[in-house]
Amino acid sequence: ETLHDDVHVSCGYPMSSVLHAAFHPIFFLHHANIDRIMEAYLQQHGVDDCRMEYASVQRSLVEQNKETNRYTAPLSGFRHPIR
């Protein structure tokens, strides 16, 4: 996540703002590149292994830190912060 976040911070506002980043054109390019990298990783390591690893990490975060399990939690609606 750090490498992903560093791009947001390096681009400055609005990419560094959680509320506004998705409305900047560079957001699409950045996340398309993240998807490209993830697809290459999945091709090398297999989807099932990645799915099991992610689910395992989320379970341990719930147990250790009492965080929400992002693997099973539904996504919340996406809304423009000004409208």
Side-chain angles (χ1 to χ4, degrees), residues 34-52:
I34 296 294
D35 290 346
R36 180 187 66 80
I37 293 167
M38 185 66 186
E39 182 60 27
Y41 181 86
L42 291 173
Q43 292 297 320
Q44 287 183 334
H45 299 280
V47 175
D48 291 334
D49 287 344
C50 293
R51 185 178 293 129
M52 289 186 321

Side-chain angles (χ1 to χ4, degrees), residues 10-44:
S10 296
C11 289
Y13 184 83
M15 282 289 288
S16 59
S17 166
V18 173
L19 292 176
H20 299 99
F23 301 100
H24 194 280
I26 216 67
F27 181 90
F28 174 78
L29 296 173
H30 170 48
H31 283 264
N33 190 46
I34 296 294
D35 290 346
R36 180 187 66 80
I37 293 167
M38 185 66 186
E39 182 60 27
Y41 181 86
L42 291 173
Q43 292 297 320
Q44 287 183 334

Side-chain angles (χ1 to χ4, degrees), residues 1-12 15-16 26 30 33-34:
E1 287 184 33
T2 302
L3 294 174
H4 163 265
D5 296 347
D6 288 347
V7 172
H8 279 272
V9 173
S10 296
C11 289
M15 282 289 288
S16 59
I26 216 67
H30 170 48
N33 190 46
I34 296 294

